Amino acid sequence: MDHKFQDEGKTIYDFIYEFYVKCPQCEKFAVVKSFPDEKGSFLFYEKRSLICGFCGFIKVYKNSPGIIGSDYPLWLESNCCGEKLWAYNLEHLEYIERFVYASIREGYCDEHGWKNNSMVSRLPKWIKNGKNRDEILRCIEKMRRSVPEKARA
Ligand SMILES: [Zn+2]
């Protein structure tokens, strides 16, 4: 059976509204939420909050510097096929999963033509390589199970 993946043209910025990290205090699962700027964009977010549901650690950042996810190690990070597989959150992980799962992958096309800046079109070659498919899907499943139940709602 053929499974089709349609690239929705999502970019990496469509996923950074929320990302999972290791809590700096207890090293368990914590969530960083980004607040959009006044234009509603997450690209140059000014404010983020880190909340850990395990030890209660809370930190609010204003004008947080640096690129997303660089402050703390990402929770969804795994060695896979000798490479590093990572995702910001479950939506991101499951989007990658749908892509890897699909045997037919269709690009994203709008009125300006085919896009090549979508998150999927920029995935590294090893993720797109069909021979890595089964191992990547296994890694993704493991990563998904590492997310606490209460974060999956
Ligand atoms: Zn904690």
Side-chain angles (χ1 to χ4, degrees):
M1 194 173 139
D2 286 337
H3 295 275
K4 224 159 105 171
F5 175 86
Q6 175 68 53
D7 187 349
E8 295 163 23
K10 284 182 193 284
T11 71
I12 199 72
Y13 298 107
D14 288 313
F15 298 101
I16 62 172
Y17 58 92
E18 183 177 284
F19 52 94
Y20 309 151
V21 296
K22 276 194 188 125
C23 171
Q25 191 164 274
C26 72
E27 299 205 323
K28 287 185 180 154
F29 176 89
V31 177
V32 175
K33 285 187 197 293
S34 304
F35 298 87
D37 63 20
E38 67 265 20
K39 289 182 190 129
S41 167
F42 286 104
L43 199 44
F44 300 108
Y45 54 85
E46 293 182 327
K47 208 173 144 195
R48 296 198 300 233
S49 70
L50 189 161
I51 297 174
C52 174
F54 289 92
C55 72
F57 184 82
I58 293 179
K59 192 166 176 178
V60 176
Y61 305 81
K62 283 180 184 157
N63 301 312
S64 35
I67 205 80
I68 308 95
S70 63
D71 301 351
Y72 301 108
L74 286 174
W75 184 264
L76 292 175
E77 213 177 73
S78 169
N79 289 322
C80 183
C81 307
E83 306 278 350
K84 200 161 92 173
L85 185 65
W86 60 271
Y88 288 134
N89 54 42
L90 274 182
E91 190 196 0
H92 189 195
L93 185 72
E94 282 165 4
Y95 196 71
I96 296 171
E97 181 183 40
R98 291 212 318 270
F99 172 81
V100 172
Y101 190 75
S103 49
I104 302 170
R105 295 158 182 175
E106 296 192 346
Y108 178 72
C109 182
D110 65 11
E111 70 273 21
H112 305 295
W114 293 95
K115 290 243 182 200
N116 63 1
N117 65 346
S118 74
M119 192 278 285
V120 153
S121 70
R122 292 188 173 186
L123 284 172
K125 278 205 184 82
W126 70 269
I127 291 184
K128 298 179 178 179
N129 188 336
K131 76 176 168 50
N132 290 332
R133 182 175 177 270
D134 290 349
E135 188 176 344
I136 294 170
L137 290 175
R138 274 198 301 274
C139 287
I140 287 176
E141 186 51 35
K142 250 197 323 208
M143 289 162 82
R144 180 178 19 239
R145 282 202 221 117
S146 77
V147 175
E149 204 69 51
K150 62 186 171 188
R152 299 184 208 188

